[in-house]
Amino acid sequence: MANHLSAKTRIRRNARRYELNSSRLGRIRTFVKSVETAISEGDKPAAQEAFKAAMPEMHRGVRAGILVKNTVARKLSRMNSRIKALG
């Protein structure tokens, strides 16, 4: 590892980015898990509320560059159709 200032700054910046991204991914996983739980319990209103809360967080992940836009769109579409199928 280089000992000069610019290398240390870069290492700190990368560590900070990883820390932010991992916390954001954890938050997204929590939102998705709450939607999945509500769907598995068959609670349509709770699933819809959880879905509404999860959507903006997933889009933030896309904007931050830690999630892929097409993958998020597909996952949101699948969750939405599963919620609609609840009854």
Side-chain angles (χ1 to χ4, degrees), residues 57-75:
E57 196 63 39
M58 292 179 83
H59 288 299
R60 273 187 215 108
V62 170
R63 277 198 312 274
I66 58 172
L67 295 175
V68 180
K69 185 177 183 179
N70 290 343
T71 306
V72 168
R74 221 175 22 250
K75 189 163 191 74

Side-chain angles (χ1 to χ4, degrees), residues 13-68:
R13 193 179 306 144
N14 285 346
R16 175 92 174 120
R17 184 182 306 140
Y18 175 76
E19 184 181 310
L20 285 173
N21 288 348
S22 61
S23 65
R24 182 174 279 135
L25 276 173
R27 205 167 38 247
I28 290 168
R29 272 192 220 103
T30 303
F31 277 112
V32 171
K33 197 175 288 187
S34 66
V35 176
E36 296 289 340
T37 303
I39 289 172
S40 67
E41 291 172 354
D43 190 358
K44 187 173 183 173
Q48 287 173 330
E49 288 302 312
F51 183 72
K52 284 179 191 172
M55 252 196 309
E57 196 63 39
M58 292 179 83
H59 288 299
R60 273 187 215 108
V62 170
R63 277 198 312 274
I66 58 172
L67 295 175
V68 180

